[in-house]
C-alpha cells in the first residue's frame, strides 16, 4: 500500500520524525530569565522546591536570549520596555515560543493606564495565555504543560528539511486592535459606550452625586508646643512669605511664597529647632481640575521635611501660577531633590531653575505631554494602540548620552539592564568602565512605571486598595498600611485594636517574606546558590499563612479603610505558632551558611560604603539607613498602628557597607518574629472593622440585616465614600524603608491626587555614591544589598 | 584477561601511513558532515536584531575594540614570563641526575633570580588588581 501511495509513506515517515523531535523539544524547553513584574516572582517560585518546574523539563532559566527558546512574558508590559522585549525575542534561538503570563501581559489587566501596553499579543505572537493576577506557581506549570501539548501538534520535520508546509515555534499572527482583538476591558462590542467612570474623571466632573452627601470636616490636630514655636519663629523671620495653615489633619503646614522658598528650606535644614535634616518627599499637584478653582493656584509644589531630632514632619506648600510654571531647584540644599524634581518636571511639566540635569526620568524620551497633568489621558484605551511598529521605532536612548567622559577619554560604556539577572528588575545601569573599575554610573529608571498615582485619581478610595500591594510586590500587605493610615487620618476614622494588631502581624509576616527573598537573591548575587533552595521553603510557609488568613498570596488586598476585609479564620493561631516555632532555628541555619563564609565576607565587607551624613542627606531609609549606624525606625520613632505596644529592638550596624546591610536585615528578621509572636499571643478580641460605617465597607452580616449598613455598603462600594476635602500624609516602615502616601481629597469618591513616597526611589538614587570607584563585580553585590524593587521606584 | 598471542587473530594491517590517511579522511568526512548538517538543518534568520550583540536588550554603545588598561597587559606578560621559565625548570628536573651538582647550582641561581624578580614586581605593585587595592 505504501508503494501505491508514496505521499502517505512520506507522511508517515515524517510523522515519526515529528513525534521524535517534538518529544525532545517539549521536555527540554529553555525559558529565558526575564521578569517584568509581580508575575515573575511567582514564575521564579515555580522553580523552587515545592513546585519544582524541573519535573517538566524546563529547569534552568537562561540569562541570555541566545540560549533560550521560551519567552515567558511575566508581568506588565510597559511602553518603555516594549522595544527591549521585542529585541530580546528577536535575539532568541529558533524555533521559539511565547507564554503570556498574567492579566497585564494578556490584556493590560488592571493597568489600563497610559504607560502600559494593553497586551503583549500586539507586539509578539503568543502561544499560551496564563490567566491570573498574578497566576500561582501551579498555573505556570499548567501553562508549561499546555505549551508542551501545543508543541506536540507541530510538524517540524518539513521545516527542518526545507520542505513546504511544516510548522514549528510561534506562528500565530500578531493581533491588531479593532480587527483581531479588542482592547476594551469589557470585551468586544461595547465600542459605542464610554467606559464607566470616565465622565466623572477630570476635567468634566459632571454632577457628581458625592455632592449630595454630607460628611463631617476632616480631622483636625492640635499643634504641639514645639510646632507652635516653629510657626511663630518662621512667621517672625519671613513675615508674610510664610503662612501657617490651620487647621491641618496631620502635621504642621506652611504656605510659602515661591520667592522665599529656598531661604525657608535652608533655614529649616540648618538653623531651625528642631532641624529638619531630611527631604522626605517633593511633589506637585495640578490644581486645574479643582471643583472650586478660585481657591487654588495653577500648581502647588509640596515639600515634606523630616526632623530626626524631634521625630516630626513639616509640610511646605508653594503655589505656582502659570500654564507651564517655573520654580527654583533646591538641589543645592538637598542633593536628593535631583530625581524628585526631574520626576515633577517629567510628569507635571514644572521647570526648575538651577537644576543640573533637568530631563525626563520616568517616561520615554520621546513621550509627548506630562502624564500627571489633569489634561493628559489616564487610560491606555483612550490613546492609540501601541503596536509593533512603535516597539521597533521608539528605542531607549544610547548609553553614550548618559556618560560624560572626562579629558577626552573613551571609557567602555556598558549597559547592565534593563534585562539582566543582577539588576533585580527593569532598571538600566549605564556604567563607564576603565578596565574593571567603574568610573561613572548612571541609572535609567521608568521601565516599570505603572502610573499608580494617576490610577489613584480615578479609582474610588476602596477600589484603589488592590493597587497598593502591587507597588511593592514582595512586601504585600505591608504596602496597604501607609495609604490606609493617610485616608484614616484625613477622615478621622478610628480603627479597632484587633484590626490594628492583625495589620501589624501581617505586615511583619510580609517583612519576613520579603527579607527571605532578599536573603536568597543577595546570596545568589555574590555566588552562593544554596540559600535560594532553602529560604523559599519558609517563604512558602508564610504565604500559606497569608493565604489562610486573606485568601491571597502576593497581593492580599485584605486591609480596608477602617479595618480589615474579614476576621481571622479558624486555625490561624496554629499555623502562626508552628511557623514561630521553627523559624528562628532555620534562620540560624541559613545565617551559618553565609556569616561564616569567607567568600561572602570578602565580597561584602567594605564594599559599597555610604556615610551616615550622605544617607541622611539623600533620604536613604530603612535597613540601608540603619546600617550606617542611625537608630531610626518609624515603628519606634513615630509609632503607628499600635507598634508602641510591642517589644522589639531596632538593629543597627556600622560602616554602611554591603555586609552591614546584611547584618541589619538578618537581625530585623529576628525582631519581626518577636513582634509576630507577641501579636499572635496577645491578639485582642473585638471588631475587625470600625462600627462607624460612614466611610467603610460594612461587615457583610450587617449589610444583609440592617438598612443603614446596606446603604453605606451600596454607596461606598459603587461611587465611593466622600472623604472630606483636605490632605494627609502617612508613612510606614515597610521592609524596604519608609513608604509614605500623600493623599489629597477634593471631596469626591476618589482622591484628587495620590502621591507615593517610595523608599526605593531615594535608596537607588545614591547608587553612584556607593558604586563609583568599585569594580564591576562589586556593583552586583551592591545592588543586591540595597534591596530595591522596581514598581516602587517607578510606581 | 589473557594476552592475545596468536598474531593471525587480529587485523593483518601493519601500522603505517596508509591507516593514518584513512583515519584523516574519515575524520574529514565526519567533520564535514557535522558542519553540513548544522548549516543545512539549523534555522537561520539573519535579521538586524538577531545579528546585533546582546547587551541587556539595549543597542550597545561604541565598538568592542577599544584601548584596554595596562594591568590586563601586565598580567598577560607576567604569566608568559613565568610560564616559559617553568619550562626550563621542567627540563632540568627530567635530567637532574645527569646534570649533577653543577646543574643544581645553576638552576638554583635561576630560581633565586626568578624569585627576586617576582618580589620586585610584587613590591612595585605589578599584581595590584583593579579598584580593590585603592580603597582604604
Amino acid at each position: 500500500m505504501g508503494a501505491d501511495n508514496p505521499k502517505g509513506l512520506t507522511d508517515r515517515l515524517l510523522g515519526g520524525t515529528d513525534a521524535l523531535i517534538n518529544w525532545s523539544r517539549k521536555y527540554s524547553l529553555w525559558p529565558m530569565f526575564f521578569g517584568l513584574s509581580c508575575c515573575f516572582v511567582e514564575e521564579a517560585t515555580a522553580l523552587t522546591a515545592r513546585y519544582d518546574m524541573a519535573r517538566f523539563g524546563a529547569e534552568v532559566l537562561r540569562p541570555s536570549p541566545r540560549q533560550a527558546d521560551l519567552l515567558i512574558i511575566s508581568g506588565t508590559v510597559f511602553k518603555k520596555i516594549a522595544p527591549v522585549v521585542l529585541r530580546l525575542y528577536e535575539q532568541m534561538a529558533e524555533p521559539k515560543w511565547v507564554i503570556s503570563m498574567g492579566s497585564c501581559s494578556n490584556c493590560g489587566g488592571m493597568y489600563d493606564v497610559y504607560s502600559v501596553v494593553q497586551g503583549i499579543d500586539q507586539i509578539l505572537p503568543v502561544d499560551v495565555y496564563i490567566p491570573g493576577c498574578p497566576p500561582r506557581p501551579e498555573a505556570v506549570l499548567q501553562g508549561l504543560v499546555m505549551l508542551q501539548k501545543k508543541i506536540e501538534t507541530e510538524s517540524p520535520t518539513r521545516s527542518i528539511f526545507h520542505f513546504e508546509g511544516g510548522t514549528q515555534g510561534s506562528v500565530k499572527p500578531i493581533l491588531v486592535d479593532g480587527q483581531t482583538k479588542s482592547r476594551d476591558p469589557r470585551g468586544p462590542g461595547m465600542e459605542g459606550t464610554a467606559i464607566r467612570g470616565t465622565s466623572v474623571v477630570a476635567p468634566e466632573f459632571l454632577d457628581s452625586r458625592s455632592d449630595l452627601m454630607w460628611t463631617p470636616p476632616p480631622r483636625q490636630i492640635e499643634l504641639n508646643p514645639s510646632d507652635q514655636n516653629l510657626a511663630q519663629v518662621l512667621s517672625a523671620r519671613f513675615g508674610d512669605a510664610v503662612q501657617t495653615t490651620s487647621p491641618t489633619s496631620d502635621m504642621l503646614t506652611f504656605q510659602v511664597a515661591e520667592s522665599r522658598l529656598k531661604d525657608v528650606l535652608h533655614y529649616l535644614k540648618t538653623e531651625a529647632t528642631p532641624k529638619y535634616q531630611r527631604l522626605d518627599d517633593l511633589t506637585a499637584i495640578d490644581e486645574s481640575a479643582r471643583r472650586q478653582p478660585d481657591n487654588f493656584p495653577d500648581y502647588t509644589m509640596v515639600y515634606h521635611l523630616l526632623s530626626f531630632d524631634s521625630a516630626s514632619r513639616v509640610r511646605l506648600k508653594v503655589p505656582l501660577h502659570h500654564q507651564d510654571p517655573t520654580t527654583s531647584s533646591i538641589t543645592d540644599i538637598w542633593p536628593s531633590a535631583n530625581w524628585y524634581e526631574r520626576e515633577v518636571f517629567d510628569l507635571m511639566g514644572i521647570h526648575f531653575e538651577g537644576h543640573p540635569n533637568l530631563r525626563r526620568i520616568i517616561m520615554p524620551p520621546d513621550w509627548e505631554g506630562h502624564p500627571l497633568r489633569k489634561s493628559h489621558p489616564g487610560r491606555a484605551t483612550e490613546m492609540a494602540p501601541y503596536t509593533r511598529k512603535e516597539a521597533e521605532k521608539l528605542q531607549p536612548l544610547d548609553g553614550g548620552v548618559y556618560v560624560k567622559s572626562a579629558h577626552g577619554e573613551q571609557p567602555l560604556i556598558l549597559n547592565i539592564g534593563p534585562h539582566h539577572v543582577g539588576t533585580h528588575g527593569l532598571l538600566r545601569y549605564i556604567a563607564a568602565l576603565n578596565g574593571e573599575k567603574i568610573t561613572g554610573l548612571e541609572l535609567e529608571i521608568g521601565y516599570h512605571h505603572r502610573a499608580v498615582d494617576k490610577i489613584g485619581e480615578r479609582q474610588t478610595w476602596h477600589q484603589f486598595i488592590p493597587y497598593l500591594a502591587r507597588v511593592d510586590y514582595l512586601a504585600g500587605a505591608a504596602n496597604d498600611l501607609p495609604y490606609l493610615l493617610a485616608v484614616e487620618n484625613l477622615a478621622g476614622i478610628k480603627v479597632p485594636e484587633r484590626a490594628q494588631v492583625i495589620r501589624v502581624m501581617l505586615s511583619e509576616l510580609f517583612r519576613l517574606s520579603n527579607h527571605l527573598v532578599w536573603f536568597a537573591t543577595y546570596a545568589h548575587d555574590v555566588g552562593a546558590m544554596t540559600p535560594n533552595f532553602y529560604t523559599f521553603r519558609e517563604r512558602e510557609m508564610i504565604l500559606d499563612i497569608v493565604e489562610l488568613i486573606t485568601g491571597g498570596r502576593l497581593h492580599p488586598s485584605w486591609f480596608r479603610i477602617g479595618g480589615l476585609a474579614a476576621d481571622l479564620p479558624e486555625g490561624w493561631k496554629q499555623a502562626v505558632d508552628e511557623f514561630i516555632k521553627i523559624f528562628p532555628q532555620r534562620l540560624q541555619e541559613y545565617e551559618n551558611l553565609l556569616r561564616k563564609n569567607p567568600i561572602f565576607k570578602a565580597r561584602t565587607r567594605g564594599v559599597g560604603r555610604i556615610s551616615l551624613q550622605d544617607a541622611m542627606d539623600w533620604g536613604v531609609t530603612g535597613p540601608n539607613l540603619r546600617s550606617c549606624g542611625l537608630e531610626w525606625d518609624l515603628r519606634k520613632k513615630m509609632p503607628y498602628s499600635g507598634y508602641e505596644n510591642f517589644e522589639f529592638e531596632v538593629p543597627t550596624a556600622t560602616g554602611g557597607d554591603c555586609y552591614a546591610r546584611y547584618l541589619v536585615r538578618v537581625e530585623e528578621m529576628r525582631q519581626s518574629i518577636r513582634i509576630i509572636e507577641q501579636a499572635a499571643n496577645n491578639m485582642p478580641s473585638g471588631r475587625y472593622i470600625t462600627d462607624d460605617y460612614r466611610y467603610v465597607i460594612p461587615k457583610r452580616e450587617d449589610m444583609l440585616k440592617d438598612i443603614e449598613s446596606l446603604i453605606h455598603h451600596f454607596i461606598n462600594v459603587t461611587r465611593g465614600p466622600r472623604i472630606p476635602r483636605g490632605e494627609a500624609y502617612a508613612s510606614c516602615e515597610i521592609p524596604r524603608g519608609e513608604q509614605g502616601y500623600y493623599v489629597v481629597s477634593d471631596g469626591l469618591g476618589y482622591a484628587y491626587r495620590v502621591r507615593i513616597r517610595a523608599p526605593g526611589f531615594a535608596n537607588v538614587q545614591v547608587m553612584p555614591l556607593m558604586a563609583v570607584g568599585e569594580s564591576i563585580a562589586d556593583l552586583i553585590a551592591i545592588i543586591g544589598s540595597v534591596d530595591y524593587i522596581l514598581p516602587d521606584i517607578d510606581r | 584477561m589473557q594476552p592475545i598471542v596468536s598474531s593471525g587473530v587480529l587485523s593483518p594491517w601493519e601500522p603505517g601511513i596508509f591507516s593514518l590517511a584513512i583515519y584523516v579522511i574519515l575524520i574529514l568526512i565526519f567533520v564535514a558532515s557535522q558542519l553540513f548538517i548544522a548549516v543545512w538543518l539549523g534555522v537561520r534568520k539573519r535579521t538586524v536584531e538577531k545579528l546585533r550583540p546582546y547587551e541587556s536588550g539595549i543597542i550597545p554603545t561604541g565598538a568592542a575594540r577599544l584601548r584596554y588598561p595596562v594591568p590586563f597587559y601586565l598580567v598577560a606578560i607576567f604569566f608568559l614570563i613565568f610560564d616559559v621559565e617553568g619550562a626550563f625548570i621542567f627540563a632540568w628536573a627530567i635530567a637532574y641526575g645527569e646534570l649533577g651538582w653543577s646543574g643544581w647550582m645553576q638552576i638554583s641561581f635561576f630560581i633565586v633570580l626568578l624569585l627576586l624578580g617576582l618580589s620586585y614586581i610584587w613590591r612595585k605593585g605589578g599584581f595590584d588588581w583593579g579598584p580593590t587595592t585603592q580603597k582604604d
Side-chain angles (χ1 to χ4, degrees):
Chain A
M1 198 178 116
D4 299 340
N5 188 358
K7 202 171 164 230
L9 178 67
T10 327
D11 275 353
R12 258 189 285 160
L13 268 177
L14 291 180
T17 339
D18 280 345
L20 182 68
I21 294 173
N22 288 339
W23 179 81
S24 327
R25 279 183 177 165
K26 72 177 188 183
Y27 292 127
S28 62
L29 284 166
W30 297 97
M32 184 158 70
F33 200 116
F34 184 43
L36 287 161
S37 43
C38 333
C39 283
F40 183 71
V41 179
E42 292 293 51
E43 186 195 331
T45 308
L47 294 166
T48 57
R50 184 191 275 192
Y51 305 100
D52 194 15
M53 194 149 89
R55 293 175 294 158
F56 299 86
E59 57 189 276
V60 187
L61 296 183
R62 309 307 299 172
S64 159
R66 308 290 192 203
Q67 307 164 333
D69 58 8
L70 170 59
L71 182 60
I72 302 181
I73 309 282
S74 51
T76 320
V77 187
F78 305 92
K79 289 183 181 171
K80 195 169 177 179
I81 199 73
V84 176
V85 178
L86 181 60
R87 172 165 304 111
L88 293 171
Y89 174 76
E90 294 281 343
Q91 291 187 338
M92 279 166 60
E94 306 283 340
K96 52 199 165 195
W97 296 271
V98 178
I99 291 180
S100 166
M101 176 183 177
S103 311
C104 289
S105 171
N106 294 345
C107 64
M110 59 197 281
Y111 291 98
D112 180 7
V113 75
Y114 58 84
S115 59
V116 174
V117 179
Q118 301 297 297
I120 188 68
D121 48 19
Q122 292 173 199
I123 302 170
L124 298 181
V126 175
D127 293 300
V128 174
Y129 295 88
I130 307 177
C133 185
R136 302 173 57 97
E138 294 93 332
V140 182
L141 302 181
Q142 164 99 28
L144 192 69
V145 171
M146 284 174 72
L147 181 68
Q148 291 176 341
K149 291 215 174 102
K150 190 256 164 189
I151 291 174
E152 266 174 27
T153 64
E154 293 175 0
S155 45
T157 320
R158 286 172 178 275
S159 307
I160 288 174
F161 289 104
H162 306 283
F163 298 153
E164 290 288 312
T167 54
Q168 57 175 350
S170 295
V171 286
K172 283 196 181 160
I174 293 163
L175 303 187
V176 181
D177 182 51
Q179 294 171 24
T180 45
K181 77 173 275 189
S182 165
R183 288 187 306 156
D184 197 314
R186 303 159 298 180
M190 305 277 281
E191 285 76 16
T193 325
I195 290 177
R196 184 169 153 264
T198 42
S199 63
V200 292
V201 171
E204 282 94 10
F205 293 120
L206 300 172
D207 300 330
S208 170
R209 284 196 279 173
S210 302
D211 290 339
L212 304 174
M213 294 193 285
W214 177 89
T215 47
R219 188 174 87 118
Q220 300 178 3
I221 54 155
E222 287 274 314
L223 293 181
N224 63 33
S226 158
D227 283 348
Q228 283 173 359
N229 184 36
L230 181 68
Q232 279 166 10
V233 171
L234 278 187
S235 125
R237 196 178 165 108
F238 295 98
D240 283 347
V242 177
Q243 281 162 0
T244 313
T245 309
S246 175
T248 67
S249 303
D250 53 349
M251 67 178 84
L252 180 61
T253 304
F254 297 109
Q255 187 100 359
V256 181
E258 203 272 319
S259 52
R260 300 300 303 275
L261 169 70
K262 285 183 77 166
D263 301 332
V264 176
L265 285 174
H266 197 266
Y267 175 78
L268 284 171
K269 187 187 179 190
T270 55
E271 291 173 52
T273 35
K275 289 192 180 69
Y276 289 86
Q277 291 128 304
R278 186 168 88 196
L279 176 69
D280 232 15
D281 190 30
L282 181 169
T283 189
I285 307 170
D286 176 4
E287 309 280 19
S288 62
R290 286 280 190 180
R291 304 172 74 236
Q292 297 168 330
D294 300 341
N295 300 349
F296 294 95
D298 291 327
Y299 292 89
T300 307
M301 289 293 304
V302 184
Y303 301 82
H304 286 101
L305 311 182
L306 178 120
S307 164
F308 290 107
D309 305 333
S310 67
S312 66
R313 289 199 186 85
V314 61
R315 175 187 301 130
L316 272 64
K317 296 179 75 177
V318 182
L320 298 178
H321 299 273
H322 194 268
Q323 203 64 30
D324 288 300
T326 303
T327 181
S328 40
S329 164
I330 60 160
T331 41
D332 47 349
I333 305 175
W334 275 285
S336 61
N338 190 322
W339 275 21
Y340 286 95
E341 289 180 352
R342 277 177 67 190
E343 188 186 329
V344 172
F345 164 72
D346 187 359
L347 302 180
M348 284 283 186
I350 297 175
H351 289 260
F352 292 89
E353 265 170 28
H355 191 286
N357 181 23
L358 195 64
R359 54 187 168 81
R360 286 198 186 271
I361 182 168
I362 300 279
M363 302 309 295
D366 36 31
W367 192 265
E368 278 172 25
H370 302 282
L372 279 189
R373 285 191 175 179
K374 295 286 180 183
S375 53
H376 191 281
R379 290 178 184 268
T381 43
E382 293 168 43
M383 303 163 77
Y386 189 95
T387 61
R388 188 167 184 137
K389 221 170 76 190
E390 268 104 39
E392 279 161 1
K393 198 175 66 185
L394 306 172
Q395 293 298 332
L397 287 180
D398 185 83
V401 175
Y402 298 91
V403 178
K404 314 248 178 321
S405 53
H407 320 302
E409 274 184 19
Q410 284 196 322
L412 168 63
I413 294 172
L414 186 68
N415 292 292
I416 306 157
H419 169 248
H420 193 277
V421 180
T423 55
H424 295 224
L426 304 175
L427 178 56
R428 176 182 174 200
Y429 293 87
I430 302 117
L433 298 174
N434 178 19
E436 285 192 315
K437 183 178 166 179
I438 302 171
T439 55
L441 187 71
E442 277 286 329
L443 279 76
E444 158 93 345
I445 64 171
Y447 291 100
H448 204 298
H449 178 55
R450 286 205 276 216
V452 194
D453 297 21
K454 191 84 173 177
I455 291 172
E457 296 172 13
R458 76 163 191 242
Q459 305 296 94
T460 69
W461 298 97
H462 290 293
Q463 278 177 344
F464 188 53
I465 291 174
Y467 291 91
L468 298 168
R470 287 158 177 85
V471 170
D472 179 344
Y473 46 72
L474 287 174
N479 285 285
D480 300 357
L481 209 42
Y483 169 75
L484 296 179
L485 291 179
V487 177
E488 286 158 6
N489 264 352
L490 176 58
I493 300 166
K494 297 221 167 17
V495 182
E497 204 189 348
R498 181 175 173 85
Q500 291 198 3
V501 175
I502 298 173
R503 283 177 175 187
V504 165
M505 188 174 79
L506 274 169
S507 299
E508 293 304 321
L509 279 170
F510 268 106
R511 188 183 312 276
L512 282 181
S513 155
N514 173 72
H515 282 10
L516 283 171
V517 176
W518 159 80
F519 191 94
T521 49
Y522 183 35
H524 191 258
D525 284 341
V526 293
M529 275 290 266
T530 319
N532 234 328
F533 299 118
Y534 291 110
T535 57
F536 273 78
R537 179 176 54 177
E538 276 67 55
R539 181 170 177 271
E540 281 301 319
M541 282 187 78
I542 296 175
L543 291 183
D544 283 348
I545 297 174
V546 170
E547 197 176 346
L548 173 74
I549 296 177
T550 71
R553 271 166 65 89
L554 295 192
H555 310 314
S557 305
W558 192 66
F559 294 179
R560 292 285 180 275
I561 296 172
L564 307 162
D567 206 351
L568 291 172
E570 267 177 48
W572 71 273
K573 181 79 167 50
Q574 199 185 352
V576 173
D577 282 347
E578 207 169 301
F579 178 71
I580 295 170
K581 209 170 80 190
I582 62 151
F583 186 72
Q585 182 198 341
R586 295 270 171 88
L587 181 62
Q588 192 55 45
E589 267 175 48
Y590 305 152
E591 257 257 272
N592 292 346
L593 283 174
L594 287 193
R595 204 185 280 211
K596 293 176 185 168
N597 183 330
I599 299 173
F600 180 76
K601 284 194 217 163
R603 287 295 309 273
T604 56
R605 274 197 177 158
V607 173
R609 277 197 195 144
I610 182 163
S611 72
L612 178 59
Q613 191 54 47
D614 279 340
M616 285 158 74
D617 260 357
W618 285 84
V620 172
T621 56
N624 297 332
L625 175 65
R626 292 190 280 279
S627 65
C628 299
L630 185 70
E631 196 194 326
W632 178 265
D633 188 321
L634 287 185
R635 293 175 293 171
K636 270 269 192 262
K637 299 287 179 181
M638 305 168 88
Y640 52 87
S641 198
Y643 266 110
E644 62 274 18
N645 305 326
F646 291 91
E647 266 179 43
F648 63 100
E649 276 145 39
V650 177
T652 58
T654 50
D657 58 358
C658 292
Y659 190 63
R661 292 191 273 275
Y662 162 81
L663 293 179
V664 168
R665 283 205 184 85
V666 169
E667 193 51 40
E668 261 188 29
M669 287 200 250
R670 298 212 170 86
Q671 300 301 328
S672 279
I673 199 82
R674 273 179 73 187
I675 299 175
I676 294 168
E677 193 172 5
Q678 291 169 50
N681 290 339
N682 309 314
M683 184 60 69
S685 56
R687 294 178 65 87
Y688 62 84
I689 191 150
T690 176
D691 55 2
D692 179 1
Y693 286 155
R694 182 183 301 282
Y695 303 111
V696 308
I697 295 179
K699 277 170 124 171
R700 190 155 185 86
E701 43 279 28
D702 290 350
M703 183 269 278
L704 291 172
K705 288 180 191 152
D706 167 28
I707 185 67
E708 190 83 359
S709 307
L710 177 66
I711 294 170
H712 281 304
H713 188 279
F714 181 76
I715 298 283
N716 292 342
V717 167
T718 53
R719 75 178 81 137
R722 182 182 193 241
I723 300 289
R725 271 205 184 89
E727 61 193 352
Y729 180 87
S731 186
C732 291
E733 192 75 37
I734 70 161
R736 262 164 256 282
E738 293 170 28
Q739 189 188 52
Y741 273 80
Y742 173 55
V743 296
V744 181
S745 172
D746 203 23
L748 285 174
Y750 34 84
Y752 183 77
R753 171 97 170 87
V754 178
R755 155 77 187 171
I756 308 167
R757 186 261 179 229
F761 193 72
N763 289 354
V764 160
Q765 194 183 174
V766 296
M767 202 66 87
L769 256 66
M770 298 183 193
V772 171
E774 304 275 10
S775 78
I776 184 76
D778 290 336
L779 176 64
I780 302 299
I782 296 169
I783 292 172
S785 76
V786 169
D787 188 32
Y788 58 76
I789 193 160
L790 264 299
D792 150 281
I793 297 172
D794 297 341
R795 283 147 287 134
Chain B
M1 288 237 295
Q2 290 293 316
I4 297 164
V5 280
S6 163
S7 60
V9 173
L10 284 179
S11 162
W13 282 8
E14 292 292 315
I17 193 74
F18 180 65
S19 57
L20 180 67
I22 296 283
Y23 178 69
V24 167
I25 289 165
L26 284 178
I27 291 286
L28 284 177
I29 290 172
F30 177 72
V31 169
S33 68
Q34 294 296 301
L35 287 174
F36 170 74
I37 288 171
V39 167
W40 185 50
L41 296 185
V43 185
R44 322 206 128 229
K45 257 196 181 173
R46 296 190 170 275
T47 61
V48 179
E49 293 300 343
K50 190 98 175 180
L51 297 176
R52 202 194 293 281
Y54 162 74
E55 193 173 308
S56 304
I58 300 283
I59 302 172
T61 303
R65 279 142 201 85
L66 49 112
R67 289 170 17 201
Y68 56 87
V70 171
F72 289 102
Y73 171 78
L74 285 179
V75 167
I77 289 294
F78 296 151
F79 172 75
L80 263 186
I81 290 173
F82 289 105
D83 194 48
V84 168
E85 282 164 358
F88 288 114
I89 300 174
F90 297 142
W92 164 79
I94 285 169
Y96 88 106
E98 289 136 63
L99 293 174
W101 280 106
S102 75
W104 187 84
M105 293 291 280
Q106 283 162 11
I107 201 71
S108 298
F109 178 72
F110 180 67
I111 290 174
V112 167
L113 211 60
L114 274 185
L115 288 177
L116 280 176
L118 187 68
S119 64
Y120 175 76
I121 295 168
W122 200 315
R123 289 189 54 184
K124 273 290 193 184
F127 293 123
D128 288 353
W129 182 256
T132 40
T133 51
Q134 289 154 23
K135 285 188 303 197
D136 48 356

